[in-house]
Amino acid sequence: MKFDALVIGAGYAGAVTARQLAEVGNMRVLVLEQRDHIGGNAYDCKDDAGVLIHQYGPHIFHTVEKRVYDYLSRFTTWLPYEHRVVANVHGQLMPVPFNLDSLEIAFGDRAPALREKLLAAYGPEQKVTILELRKNTDPDLAELADYVYQNVFVNYTMKQWGTTPEQIDPATTARVPVFLSHDDRYFQDPYQGMPANGYTSLFARMLDHPNITVELGQDAREHLIFTPEGVKLDGEVFAGPVVYTGPVDELFDCRFGRLPYRTLDFQFETHPVDWYQTRGTVNYTVDQPYTRITEFKHMTGQEIKGVTTIVKEFSKPYSGTEGEVPYYAIISPENTALYEKYKALADALPNFHLVGRLAEYKYYNMDAIVAQALDLADRLLKNKKSE
Ligand code: FAD
Ligand code: UDP
């Protein structure tokens, strides 16, 4: 069969691009996916006990973008779910993001006075990053900032990134600000929830189009050769657009050195109880070698009695060893400069396009990838029209 477009990777970036090109552009699209399943890191499946789990870590959908929500809603209905997380601080549980209720749990009688000072300084319902709060010179607020830094951020960040909050991209800790509110949801986005039949089913519907062919277990690097005339697929120059959603350094044999990533080891445990913990996720912010424990049934709404599955996440540097997955780009000026060198090689290839969390070397949530892929597909379809 002849194809008009080639997409590498069947996660959000690849699946959304493929669907748009196939449906709106009436292009025949070949999707190559190296894993034996679709969905990328959002893939879910039932484990041996019948519990629906997220194989590559807990995924909660949330967005402020209506067009993203509407787009995905074509392929799924949603279960209402609002993620609530607590930190385990020496056995005491308190909401994360650290909020006015956490303040009360941590400071007891002193909380009202601290709350008044906080509200006077920043205003009600405001979000303040921990790095910002640490700049406050008021002695009481400085003490509070130090408490939050020590008990919520420093150990968790050391576990997750191997370094302190000051040494990582400030946008990372800004994802979980101190929140001057009683709202204990992890996200305040207007659209949030879980796909009613799971993520994999959402992907199956998105990729179910007569113009789309998905080939699993196919590492594109084994089929593609890069030449100045274009990308050769199985020996012949491929005329249409090639969309790549994997790590860009690996395309070029890591010739400038590996792009740094963090990877995770997931430890899944099934327990013969209805519930293991009271929340979807408990962050271990002062002790334990893992960062967090997630119990899937809270998130998926699955009703199954007498059994539950949890996952513990252990972070470490990505080494590129077979079987390791590059989960988190380590954003820094130096790493971004290295990424740009690889991107320049990719940009020099005719009709070759990078999209996705790996290919763009960004800390993107699912919704951002959907938006990026929709934009890329629009650009490709516009080019096609003007040809
Ligand atoms: P991926 O999902 O990584 O898909 C890329 C695909 O390309 C993979 O299937 C890969 O196998 C394939 N591929 C790569 N190279 C090749 C090759 N050479 N040949 C063939 N195939 C190839 N986002 C949220 O919005 N909410 C959350 O709660 C959330 N939780 C997360 C938790 C964890 C632990 C992690 C790591 C991420 C989380 N995310 C979350 C982010 C989310 O996973 C990503 O934004 C999204 O899945 C990225 O989609 P993608 O298509 O860019 O990449
Ligand atoms: N973080 C922290 N303590 C927490 C939660 C988050 O120190 O209890 C920091 C940590 O550096 C983490 C970052 O904030 O990597 C972003 O957290 P988020 O929960 O958004 O991470 P993700 O779900 O993407 O792994």
Side-chain angles (χ1 to χ4, degrees):
M1 184 173 176
K2 202 177 161 316
F3 294 101
D4 305 306
L6 174 61
V7 171
I8 296 144
Y12 277 100
V16 170
T17 312
R19 177 74 189 209
Q20 287 300 89
L21 297 184
E23 187 174 68
V24 184
N26 197 25
M27 295 165 83
R28 292 159 300 173
V29 186
L30 173 63
V31 180
L32 296 180
E33 168 55 58
Q34 66 189 1
R35 292 173 172 164
D36 63 0
H37 60 73
I38 57 173
N41 288 341
Y43 172 73
D44 55 13
C45 60
K46 285 200 173 153
D47 66 10
D48 291 344
V51 180
L52 183 62
I53 59 160
H54 298 174
Q55 188 78 58
Y56 305 96
H59 279 70
I60 300 104
F61 179 76
H62 58 101
T63 191
V64 296
E65 279 207 60
K66 185 170 185 304
R67 73 165 174 150
V68 168
Y69 177 76
D70 287 346
Y71 187 76
L72 294 181
S73 300
R74 294 181 50 204
F75 310 109
T76 187
T77 54
W78 300 94
L79 288 179
Y81 175 71
E82 294 182 319
H83 198 45
R84 288 182 165 79
V85 176
V86 286
N88 183 318
V89 180
H90 303 296
Q92 197 168 37
L93 301 182
M94 60 182 75
V96 172
F98 191 93
N99 68 7
L100 296 179
D101 295 329
S102 320
L103 180 69
E104 193 141 332
I105 294 167
F107 284 86
D109 291 350
R110 291 184 60 204
L114 286 168
R115 185 178 60 224
E116 291 321 305
K117 275 201 166 180
L118 263 179
L119 292 174
Y122 303 102
E125 302 300 316
Q126 294 304 302
K127 293 179 174 175
V128 189
T129 70
I130 185 59
L131 298 181
E132 206 46 45
L133 191 61
R134 293 249 290 170
K135 290 185 192 148
N136 199 303
T137 51
D138 176 277
D140 289 332
L141 293 186
E143 185 190 338
L144 167 63
D146 194 53
Y147 175 90
V148 178
Y149 181 83
Q150 296 297 340
N151 290 287
V152 179
F153 283 94
V154 75
N155 295 302
Y156 189 103
T157 300
M158 287 299 298
K159 284 189 274 186
Q160 178 72 2
W161 299 99
T163 185
T164 63
E166 290 76 14
Q167 285 164 322
I168 62 172
D169 180 20
T172 300
T173 45
R175 290 166 61 92
V176 188
V178 173
F179 192 16
L180 308 195
S181 171
H182 293 284
D183 184 344
D184 64 348
R185 296 172 303 163
Y186 210 62
F187 313 109
Q188 278 68 45
D189 296 0
Y191 307 101
Q192 40 187 312
M194 298 296 288
N197 297 311
Y199 289 100
T200 306
S201 154
L202 182 166
F203 279 94
R205 289 184 65 182
M206 202 181 324
L207 290 165
D208 180 16
H209 188 281
N211 282 343
I212 299 179
T213 303
V214 180
E215 291 193 8
L216 298 177
Q218 298 294 334
D219 185 334
R221 288 169 299 177
E222 288 166 16
H223 300 276
L224 302 183
I225 304 173
F226 300 117
T227 70
E229 316 93 81
V231 177
K232 281 190 175 171
L233 172 65
D234 295 331
E236 277 186 45
V237 172
F238 189 79
V242 178
V243 175
Y244 178 75
T245 74
V248 68
D249 54 346
E250 291 186 2
L251 273 187
F252 300 104
D253 300 323
C254 302
R255 69 178 69 161
F256 305 128
R258 271 197 181 282
L259 278 171
Y261 285 97
R262 299 290 289 179
T263 188
L264 298 171
D265 284 332
F266 294 110
Q267 190 177 310
F268 291 88
E269 294 174 11
T270 297
H271 293 266
V273 294
D274 285 342
W275 295 107
Y276 180 86
Q277 60 190 29
T278 58
R279 290 283 194 283
T281 298
V282 178
N283 286 359
Y284 285 79
T285 55
V286 289
D287 51 20
Q288 305 301 342
Y290 42 84
T291 51
R292 57 189 176 190
I293 297 183
T294 296
E295 182 173 17
F296 293 103
K297 287 203 298 177
H298 284 291
M299 292 166 26
T300 60
Q302 186 186 13
E303 288 182 19
I304 174 169
K305 290 236 169 285
V307 66
T308 192
T309 298
I310 61 160
V311 65
K312 295 174 177 167
E313 295 175 47
F314 300 78
S315 171
K316 63 181 190 191
Y318 172 69
S319 68
T321 316
E322 175 104 27
E324 258 184 16
V325 179
Y327 286 116
Y328 293 88
I330 304 176
I331 310 292
S332 72
E334 191 191 351
N335 297 348
T336 303
L338 178 58
Y339 169 76
E340 290 298 334
K341 286 173 76 175
Y342 284 112
K343 185 173 181 307
L345 294 179
D347 287 347
L349 296 166
N351 218 354
F352 189 81
H353 309 272
L354 301 174
V355 65
R357 176 156 153 141
L358 295 164
E360 296 181 64
Y361 199 66
K362 290 259 169 64
Y363 195 159
Y364 276 145
N365 289 329
M366 295 183 277
D367 63 325
I369 307 287
V370 174
Q372 289 288 99
L374 288 173
D375 289 346
L376 172 63
D378 281 353
R379 288 198 302 277
L380 295 179
L381 292 170
K382 225 179 251 164
N383 291 348
K384 183 172 170 259
K385 243 184 178 171
S386 63
E387 266 165 18

